[in-house]
Amino acid sequence: MKKSTLIGGLSLTALGIIAAASPALAQDATEAAAPEFAKAADTAYIFNTLLFLIGGFLVMWMAAGFAMLEAGLVRSKNVSMQCLKNIALYSIAGLMFWITGYNLMYTGVDGGFMGSFGPYSFDAVGGDSLDTGYSTASDWYFQMVFCATTASIVSGTLAERIKLWPFLIFTVVLTGFIYPITGSWEWGTGWLDVMGFSDFAGSTLVHSVGGWAALSGALILGARKGKYGPGGQVTPFPGSSMPLATLGTFILWLGWFGFNGASQLAMGTIGDVTDVSRIFANTNMAAAAGVVVAMILTQILYKKVDVTMALNGALAGLVSITAEPLAPSVLQAVIIGGVGGAIVVFAVPMLDKLKIDDVVGAIPVHLLAGIWGTFIVAWSNSDASYTVQLTGIVAIGAFTMIASGIVWFILKATIGIRVSEEEEALGLDKVEIGVEAYPEFGQGSQRV
Amino acid sequence: MKKSTLIGGLSLTALGIIAAASPALAQDATEAAAPEFAKAADTAYIFNTLLFLIGGFLVMWMAAGFAMLEAGLVRSKNVSMQCLKNIALYSIAGLMFWITGYNLMYTGVDGGFMGSFGPYSFDAVGGDSLDTGYSTASDWYFQMVFCATTASIVSGTLAERIKLWPFLIFTVVLTGFIYPITGSWEWGTGWLDVMGFSDFAGSTLVHSVGGWAALSGALILGARKGKYGPGGQVTPFPGSSMPLATLGTFILWLGWFGFNGASQLAMGTIGDVTDVSRIFANTNMAAAAGVVVAMILTQILYKKVDVTMALNGALAGLVSITAEPLAPSVLQAVIIGGVGGAIVVFAVPMLDKLKIDDVVGAIPVHLLAGIWGTFIVAWSNSDASYTVQLTGIVAIGAFTMIASGIVWFILKATIGIRVSEEEEALGLDKVEIGVEAYPEFGQGSQRV
Amino acid sequence: MKKSTLIGGLSLTALGIIAAASPALAQDATEAAAPEFAKAADTAYIFNTLLFLIGGFLVMWMAAGFAMLEAGLVRSKNVSMQCLKNIALYSIAGLMFWITGYNLMYTGVDGGFMGSFGPYSFDAVGGDSLDTGYSTASDWYFQMVFCATTASIVSGTLAERIKLWPFLIFTVVLTGFIYPITGSWEWGTGWLDVMGFSDFAGSTLVHSVGGWAALSGALILGARKGKYGPGGQVTPFPGSSMPLATLGTFILWLGWFGFNGASQLAMGTIGDVTDVSRIFANTNMAAAAGVVVAMILTQILYKKVDVTMALNGALAGLVSITAEPLAPSVLQAVIIGGVGGAIVVFAVPMLDKLKIDDVVGAIPVHLLAGIWGTFIVAWSNSDASYTVQLTGIVAIGAFTMIASGIVWFILKATIGIRVSEEEEALGLDKVEIGVEAYPEFGQGSQRV
């Protein structure tokens, strides 16, 4: 970080300016002018790369959002574990998306069902190839954080009863293989892309895949002890901290501007940056509508507003608009997001009726709103068709359910995936990691 | 988010490069060179739009800052409600600033008192008009988050006793009508702008407007039960979580770089980006001075440093520099922010003497420091005059107090704005939303 | 923030476009084309400045990360104090780096041992000098937040027993003098730079300097009462909030993309922005490896995963890669970060054996991993040599230990640096600042 580095980096340009300013050297207008002006391809390359970097760090930040959301929605005896799982899964996703994920998703798919195996390598230091139109490392970074998001979705649903290491092994498979394979079908220009399937930023490719993986895990793992009584009664297990859940939601909302906005993949032209702006605005409107609809519906249904529903309403609005944040008019974005909010309000009790125990509501938010958002693309985007959208939803759902199910079954049959009843009662923090979240108050200090 | 999209987006440019590289086609230097170099207007458009997007997401993040600050400063029995109000008001602001706010503030004001009615519409997909110099959606997004900030200020002052829905109805009016109207007077090039009033990023237009609306609400709503005794004694109601309040302050400080910096509205020239940089530095210095002054003063006055005063000192420093973060020298910025910090230390007990119950200190921070910052613009900016600054402060204050007061009175006379004494004692979380913030510890688990 | 400002800012450019478009004016291709295209030097200036601003606000955000990490790792009776110290030190660092720090570090060092004295001044409003290649205020802002980071490191180690004001006085000296002097040796192009020492983003200049200052303070201050028993037993004092510690770690991880990425100091060429991207990817890989290694090692050693070790593993991975985040291959980055994670797992109990009481683990994370990262630069960067790296590590370590030690001794001998035993037992929140962190639960409400 020496200052001399910078001066060095600018010297050629500076030289160019001096040369151009000297009349004696200005023999040929084109030649002399060349170093003075910014090359369009270079400028576009820098803008595109910058979009990936900014979008990437915003989506990386979503990992913290999931951590806080889940830490707030589980009981205090499982908060440390939830924090640990979230930082661990983000780390694993980063490693796996380098070792195998990126190439499996993006290299040589060519209309097919998956790419190639092997670790990814970046541009060399000072790389100056313009071929891709952006730095390969920035692209990798941006795609990697999407992969991590998928894994984050799973951890919330399965909280409070799944063992640490089996969960992490599942994360290895999900981020290294399952997500990249279905991702390759569309973003890797595989068979679904050829067919005309459309999923701009991942309502299906990221959110539903995470949701399907969570659902298969929830079915195999079973509900938390005491959640569903024999007579059909449902016992609420309130989350330990609403402000942390709120913080997590705000973090996710913020990160989503990168998630959807930078999925434009370019901002080197005024058309591209205008599209990124539309995406920002539409993304915000859908989330806002999700909140308002969830609030009004819970007020009508329950005579009180449920704050967790409002938070999940925001997230469902965001997931809903993710498949097509660019084409909708503002009013369409409001409707798409508002329906997402309604889905959450009706789906959460429905899952409880089915005795599917989803601790944080990730299945309504990510899977169901993801399906809705993907399906409704055809409303605003004339290039999409409802039939092809359904085809993609079903194909990716089926593959993810089956592949995830196989992994969960193998883990269950071998090392086991669920803690004992006694351990569940004590809380995973005490039993599995030995660090309580709030040792001086709460369950940590008062019970067991 | 297919990779092919990007390649497509770059193809024209790429073609240009190839054409220019071919000697046969280089008949005319200007023509051949044209596609090779970046057009200045395009590059400026992209930079300006990017400034709005980055500034916008930073200011959006301030909504989370207010949520955390307020969640930390209210008692645990009202924390969930405060979280809910903050995500709800941000959502409502987004919707209202589309439905009516933006056009009322910015379209056709022309020296007058307000713009036009009706929802705003953005550039079309791939929009390529350079007329505005930035994408309209990015501008809308950036202005919208300012509108939301105004509403955030109100929620803190009125915490712990105002009913949810009346507060939200007030938010609808504030963000859809009151804020845009006074905003139009200055930023919409209305009558105050014509007169020469100067408020760079909104010490008055955002912070004081929020502060006046909060003040009128506090006067009509009354103090929390038990806050002020008959003999003039003041009972402190300590906030439930200092780390959340601290987090909120840091979030606001971070977001303020977008708030002030991106209010330069352009970074497509070196002069503009240099100004944005000055603004970043001055903004930081003012906040730092606010903290240090508040700490030293509370140490002297009370023999202990009050952490909430230090936090509010930072915020007051930030509000103070917001009216003119560009023109001051560093030393001036330090003084302006330092005085802001002092205002908080002296005004908080003064408000208590007046029995105005401001739960989080928003009136000293946003209203009083906002007035100070607006007035002192004339010190560093030779285009401003103290008289005109005062005119603007008074005009906007009078309008906001009257307009807000009318709304509060109507709400009070119809659906009522205050919860019952019993409900206030129980806490709004239990009574109005049914979700406790910390069900396993604190008041949640131990009382009632 | 009037819209007219923007139009004004664009007028020259707009004029240029009109002129160029008019055939009558296009007499000379070079002249006419000049205003139409973006000048390379201008565009580079804007990109470089933007990199400083984005990198700067990300590193500023790390101040919040340290605040949350430390608030989570101290006991609840000291949480408010830790919050206060963190916002205070960030403020002081900003003021001191203006008053004396920047010039001492960067102006006129010229192969020597320090720069000049006196406050720094920025480019004038609308400054249009291209000499530096970036706005001076953006550079100051970016370097200032590095200075603040150094101070943040100290506060964690010395938590729970150091007095507020002596700590702040030490911060004045550290940020105004000690850090800038050693910084000048390398980044100010002083004697270590001449010798060929290499520390890209500050494994030594920032992290080890903070670590040495913390170590000297810990030695002089002594351990917390009750931490080390007479028979060599170590009593764990668990932190009050794991989710806050996790949040802090995620914030730091996010901020580190700015810390390392923007230390490239330029992104105006495709080579530079490609390097920034490589740095983002390598930084993430090193942190991920740190987490995974710390988790596996604690599982093997203790049969449980320690969540605080996983968090510190991430930070140690980040510190390790900071000295050279650009040159390593991905595999090298993974190894460098992974070793950092291992260092934490082994060093934390080692420090306890030495009875050095480091409340948050800052010495293993910042000092030891910082030494490791600086030393191993020579593995991937052929311009560096192990011998010179060691020379820099030792020289900076010796100076910082001695200088810090002198300051700590003077403070101890005069105003005293440690609270009384009784005060320590009561907690600093009650005794020194009078605001409890969690007044309604935890130790705050139940004890004393």
Side-chain angles (χ1 to χ4, degrees):
Chain A
M1 196 165 73
K2 300 164 205 175
K3 297 196 118 191
S4 52
T5 312
L6 180 57
I7 305 305
L10 279 176
S11 60
L12 278 179
T13 308
L15 210 63
I17 295 164
I18 294 160
S22 157
L25 291 170
Q27 299 174 334
D28 182 309
T30 315
E31 265 181 34
E36 189 175 356
F37 298 118
K39 289 186 189 157
D42 284 19
T43 304
Y45 180 102
I46 298 171
F47 274 125
N48 295 341
T49 299
L50 183 59
L51 182 68
F52 281 143
L53 296 179
I54 294 175
F57 76 63
L58 286 173
V59 181
M60 176 271 167
W61 184 224
M62 292 172 70
F66 281 106
M68 292 302 106
L69 180 68
E70 297 173 15
L73 292 181
V74 301
R75 289 166 292 175
S76 58
K77 65 182 176 182
N78 296 309
V79 168
S80 288
M81 174 57 96
Q82 214 56 28
C83 291
L84 177 64
K85 278 175 184 161
N86 272 279
I87 200 162
L89 71 85
Y90 178 75
S91 303
I92 289 170
L95 293 166
M96 290 309 298
F97 206 68
W98 163 62
I99 295 173
T100 172
Y102 188 94
N103 277 334
L104 202 49
M105 187 154 167
Y106 286 110
T107 306
V109 183
D110 209 18
F113 293 85
M114 68 172 71
S116 60
F117 281 92
Y120 190 58
S121 52
F122 306 136
D123 286 328
V125 175
D128 58 359
S129 161
L130 282 163
D131 291 352
T132 46
Y134 49 79
S135 147
T136 54
S138 70
D139 176 43
W140 176 85
Y141 175 67
F142 184 66
Q143 305 298 351
M144 177 273 293
V145 290
F146 276 68
C147 178
T149 301
T150 308
S152 296
I153 294 163
V154 183
S155 70
T157 296
L158 308 183
E160 304 206 311
R161 71 254 199 226
I162 196 166
K163 282 184 187 174
L164 174 62
W165 289 102
F167 171 76
L168 296 181
I169 293 169
F170 180 83
T171 302
V172 167
V173 181
L174 179 69
T175 58
F177 303 94
I178 297 175
Y179 168 82
I181 287 173
T182 49
S184 80
W185 298 355
E186 170 65 7
W187 292 344
T189 63
W191 70 275
L192 271 175
D193 181 42
V194 171
M195 188 185 274
F197 181 65
S198 183
D199 186 3
F200 194 90
S203 286
T204 285
L205 267 71
V206 175
H207 294 280
S208 289
V209 165
W212 290 116
L215 176 61
S216 75
L219 292 172
I220 295 167
L221 189 62
R224 286 167 293 175
K225 183 80 184 164
K227 179 71 185 169
Y228 303 116
Q233 74 274 29
V234 179
T235 308
F237 291 162
S240 53
S241 172
M242 283 308 114
L244 288 185
T246 304
L247 175 65
T249 304
F250 270 117
I251 292 174
L252 290 166
W253 194 327
L254 169 61
W256 231 289
F257 295 115
F259 200 94
N260 286 359
S263 288
Q264 176 74 8
L265 301 184
M267 65 167 182
T269 66
I270 63 165
D272 276 321
V273 83
T274 296
D275 286 355
V276 174
S277 305
R278 275 183 69 95
I279 294 169
F280 268 57
N282 275 343
T283 298
N284 198 72
M285 295 313 270
V291 171
V292 171
V293 167
M295 286 180 67
I296 292 173
L297 282 179
T298 54
Q299 177 70 39
I300 293 171
L301 292 173
Y302 307 116
K303 310 297 171 210
K304 285 183 181 178
V305 175
D306 184 331
V307 63
T308 63
M309 286 290 188
L311 300 178
N312 274 332
L315 300 179
L318 290 161
V319 170
S320 301
I321 201 69
T322 294
E324 183 52 75
L326 174 59
S329 67
V330 179
L331 185 61
Q332 286 179 312
V334 167
I335 293 168
I336 291 168
V339 171
I343 286 171
V344 163
V345 174
F346 293 113
V348 166
M350 195 187 74
L351 279 178
D352 275 336
K353 275 206 178 142
L354 297 171
K355 301 196 179 178
I356 296 169
D357 187 11
D358 178 5
V359 177
V360 303
I363 293 169
V365 165
H366 298 278
L367 175 54
L368 301 184
I371 290 172
W372 155 249
T374 307
F375 178 73
I376 205 63
V377 167
W379 185 31
S380 62
N381 181 342
S382 57
D383 292 339
S385 93
Y386 290 107
T387 324
V388 174
Q389 295 304 98
L390 276 180
T391 309
I393 291 165
V394 170
I396 288 174
F399 178 85
T400 309
M401 277 297 277
I402 292 168
S404 300
I406 290 170
V407 180
W408 288 126
F409 265 121
I410 292 173
L411 288 169
K412 187 175 181 177
T414 52
I415 56 177
I417 55 175
R418 184 158 183 152
V419 298
S420 73
E421 279 196 22
E422 191 195 5
E423 289 170 332
E424 191 178 333
L426 281 167
L428 306 191
D429 290 2
K430 265 197 198 303
V431 171
E432 283 216 291
I433 61 177
V435 176
E436 290 169 70
Y438 308 106
E440 297 174 87
F441 35 86
Q443 299 210 357
S445 61
Q446 290 160 15
R447 304 184 200 170
V448 181
Chain B
M1 197 167 70
K2 299 165 205 173
K3 298 197 116 190
S4 52
T5 311
L6 179 57
I7 305 305
L10 279 177
S11 60
L12 278 178
T13 309
L15 210 62
I17 296 164
I18 294 159
S22 157
L25 292 171
Q27 299 174 332
D28 182 307
T30 315
E31 268 181 32
E36 190 175 355
F37 297 117
K39 289 184 190 160
D42 285 19
T43 304
Y45 180 103
I46 298 170
F47 275 124
N48 295 341
T49 300
L50 183 59
L51 182 68
F52 281 143
L53 296 179
I54 294 175
F57 77 63
L58 287 173
V59 180
M60 177 272 167
W61 184 223
M62 291 173 70
F66 281 106
M68 292 302 106
L69 180 68
E70 297 173 14
L73 292 181
V74 301
R75 289 166 292 176
S76 59
K77 64 183 177 182
N78 296 309
V79 168
S80 287
M81 174 57 96
Q82 215 55 28
C83 291
L84 177 64
K85 278 175 184 160
N86 272 281
I87 200 161
L89 71 85
Y90 177 77
S91 302
I92 289 170
L95 293 166
M96 291 308 298
F97 206 70
W98 163 63
I99 294 172
T100 172
Y102 188 92
N103 277 334
L104 201 50
M105 186 156 168
Y106 286 110
T107 306
V109 183
D110 210 19
F113 294 85
M114 68 172 71
S116 61
F117 281 91
Y120 190 60
S121 51
F122 306 136
D123 286 328
V125 174
D128 57 0
S129 160
L130 281 164
D131 291 352
T132 46
Y134 50 78
S135 148
T136 55
S138 70
D139 175 43
W140 177 85
Y141 175 68
F142 183 65
Q143 305 297 351
M144 178 272 293
V145 290
F146 276 67
C147 178
T149 300
T150 309
S152 296
I153 293 164
V154 182
S155 71
T157 297
L158 309 181
E160 304 206 313
R161 69 246 199 234
I162 195 166
K163 282 186 187 173
L164 174 63
W165 289 101
F167 171 75
L168 297 181
I169 293 169
F170 180 83
T171 302
V172 167
V173 181
L174 179 69
T175 58
F177 303 94
I178 298 175
Y179 168 83
I181 287 173
T182 49
S184 79
W185 298 355
E186 168 66 5
W187 291 343
T189 63
W191 69 277
L192 271 175
D193 181 41
V194 171
M195 187 185 276
F197 182 63
S198 183
D199 186 3
F200 194 91
S203 286
T204 284
L205 267 72
V206 175
H207 294 279
S208 289
V209 164
W212 290 116
L215 176 61
S216 75
L219 291 172
I220 295 167
L221 190 62
R224 286 167 293 175
K225 183 80 183 165
K227 179 71 185 169
Y228 303 116
Q233 74 273 28
V234 179
T235 308
F237 291 163
S240 53
S241 172
M242 283 307 113
L244 288 185
T246 305
L247 175 65
T249 304
F250 270 117
I251 292 173
L252 290 166
W253 193 328
L254 169 62
W256 231 288
F257 295 115
F259 201 94
N260 287 359
S263 288
Q264 176 72 7
L265 301 184
M267 64 166 184
T269 66
I270 63 165
D272 276 320
V273 83
T274 296
D275 286 355
V276 175
S277 305
R278 275 182 70 94
I279 294 169
F280 268 58
N282 275 343
T283 298
N284 197 72
M285 295 312 270
V291 170
V292 170
V293 167
M295 286 181 67
I296 292 173
L297 282 178
T298 54
Q299 177 70 39
I300 292 171
L301 293 172
Y302 308 116
K303 310 297 170 210
K304 285 183 181 178
V305 175
D306 184 332
V307 63
T308 62
M309 286 290 187
L311 301 178
N312 274 333
L315 300 178
L318 290 161
V319 170
S320 301
I321 201 68
T322 293
E324 184 50 76
L326 174 59
S329 68
V330 179
L331 185 61
Q332 285 180 313
V334 167
I335 292 168
I336 291 168
V339 171
I343 286 172
V344 163
V345 174
F346 293 113
V348 165
M350 196 187 73
L351 280 177
D352 274 337
K353 275 203 179 145
L354 297 169
K355 300 194 179 179
I356 297 170
D357 187 11
D358 178 4
V359 177
V360 303
I363 293 170
V365 164
H366 297 279
L367 175 54
L368 301 184
I371 291 173
W372 156 250
T374 307
F375 178 73
I376 204 63
V377 167
W379 184 32
S380 62
N381 181 343
S382 57
D383 293 339
S385 92
Y386 290 108
T387 323
V388 174
Q389 293 304 98
L390 275 179
T391 308
I393 291 165
V394 171
I396 289 175
F399 178 86
T400 308
M401 277 297 278
I402 293 167
S404 299
I406 291 171
V407 180
W408 289 126
F409 266 121
I410 293 174
L411 288 169
K412 187 175 180 177
T414 52
I415 56 177
I417 56 175
R418 183 156 183 153
V419 298
S420 72
E421 279 196 22
E422 192 195 5
E423 289 169 333
E424 192 178 332
L426 280 168
L428 306 190
D429 290 2
K430 265 198 197 302
V431 171
E432 283 217 293
I433 61 176
V435 176
E436 290 168 69
Y438 307 105
E440 297 173 87
F441 35 85
Q443 299 210 356
S445 60
Q446 290 159 16
R447 303 183 201 173
V448 180
Chain C
M1 198 167 70
K2 300 163 204 173
K3 298 197 117 193
S4 52
T5 312
L6 179 58
I7 305 306
L10 279 177
S11 61
L12 279 178
T13 309
L15 210 65
I17 295 163
I18 294 159
S22 158
L25 292 171
Q27 299 174 335
D28 182 307
T30 314
E31 266 181 35
E36 189 176 357
F37 297 117
K39 288 185 190 158
D42 285 19
T43 305
Y45 181 102
I46 298 171
F47 275 125
N48 295 341
T49 300
L50 183 59
L51 181 67
F52 281 143
L53 296 178
I54 295 174
F57 77 62
L58 287 173
V59 180
M60 177 272 166
W61 184 225
M62 291 171 71
F66 281 105
M68 292 302 107
L69 180 68
E70 297 173 16
L73 292 181
V74 301
R75 288 166 293 174
S76 59
K77 64 183 176 181
N78 296 308
V79 168
S80 288
M81 175 57 96
Q82 215 55 27
C83 291
L84 177 64
K85 277 175 184 161
N86 272 279
I87 200 161
L89 71 85
Y90 177 76
S91 303
I92 289 170
L95 293 166
M96 290 309 298
F97 205 69
W98 163 62
I99 295 172
T100 172
Y102 188 92
N103 278 333
L104 202 48
M105 187 155 168
Y106 285 110
T107 306
V109 184
D110 210 18
F113 293 86
M114 69 172 72
S116 61
F117 281 91
Y120 189 61
S121 52
F122 306 137
D123 287 329
V125 175
D128 57 359
S129 160
L130 282 163
D131 291 352
T132 46
Y134 50 78
S135 148
T136 54
S138 70
D139 175 43
W140 177 85
Y141 175 68
F142 184 65
Q143 304 298 351
M144 178 273 294
V145 290
F146 276 67
C147 178
T149 300
T150 308
S152 296
I153 293 164
V154 183
S155 71
T157 296
L158 309 182
E160 304 206 311
R161 70 247 199 233
I162 196 167
K163 281 186 188 173
L164 174 62
W165 289 101
F167 170 76
L168 296 181
I169 293 168
F170 180 83
T171 302
V172 167
V173 181
L174 179 69
T175 58
F177 303 95
I178 298 176
Y179 168 82
I181 287 173
T182 49
S184 80
W185 298 355
E186 168 67 6
W187 291 344
T189 63
W191 70 276
L192 271 175
D193 182 41
V194 171
M195 187 185 275
F197 182 63
S198 183
D199 187 3
F200 193 90
S203 286
T204 285
L205 268 71
V206 175
H207 294 279
S208 289
V209 165
W212 290 117
L215 176 60
S216 76
L219 291 173
I220 294 167
L221 190 62
R224 287 167 292 176
K225 182 81 183 163
K227 178 70 185 171
Y228 303 116
Q233 73 274 30
V234 179
T235 308
F237 291 162
S240 52
S241 173
M242 283 308 113
L244 288 185
T246 304
L247 175 65
T249 304
F250 271 116
I251 292 174
L252 289 166
W253 194 328
L254 170 61
W256 231 288
F257 295 116
F259 201 94
N260 287 359
S263 288
Q264 176 73 7
L265 301 184
M267 64 167 185
T269 66
I270 63 165
D272 276 321
V273 84
T274 296
D275 286 355
V276 174
S277 305
R278 275 183 69 94
I279 293 169
F280 267 58
N282 275 344
T283 298
N284 198 72
M285 295 313 269
V291 170
V292 171
V293 167
M295 287 181 66
I296 291 173
L297 281 179
T298 54
Q299 176 70 38
I300 292 171
L301 293 173
Y302 307 116
K303 310 296 169 212
K304 284 183 182 181
V305 175
D306 185 331
V307 63
T308 62
M309 286 290 188
L311 301 178
N312 274 333
L315 300 179
L318 289 162
V319 170
S320 301
I321 201 69
T322 293
E324 184 49 75
L326 174 58
S329 69
V330 179
L331 186 60
Q332 286 179 312
V334 166
I335 293 168
I336 292 168
V339 171
I343 286 171
V344 163
V345 173
F346 293 113
V348 165
M350 196 186 72
L351 280 177
D352 274 336
K353 274 204 179 144
L354 298 169
K355 301 195 180 179
I356 297 169
D357 188 12
D358 177 6
V359 177
V360 303
I363 292 169
V365 165
H366 297 279
L367 175 54
L368 301 184
I371 291 172
W372 155 249
T374 307
F375 178 74
I376 204 62
V377 168
W379 185 30
S380 63
N381 182 342
S382 57
D383 292 340
S385 93
Y386 291 107
T387 322
V388 174
Q389 294 303 99
L390 276 180
T391 308
I393 290 165
V394 170
I396 289 175
F399 178 86
T400 308
M401 277 297 277
I402 293 168
S404 300
I406 291 170
V407 180
W408 288 126
F409 265 121
I410 292 173
L411 288 169
K412 186 174 181 178
T414 53
I415 56 177
I417 55 175
R418 183 157 183 154
V419 299
S420 72
E421 279 197 20
E422 193 194 4
E423 288 170 333
E424 191 177 332
L426 280 167
L428 306 191
D429 289 3
K430 266 197 198 302
V431 171
E432 283 216 291
I433 61 176
V435 176
E436 291 168 71
Y438 308 106
E440 297 173 88
F441 35 85
Q443 299 210 356
S445 60
Q446 290 160 14
R447 305 185 200 171
V448 181

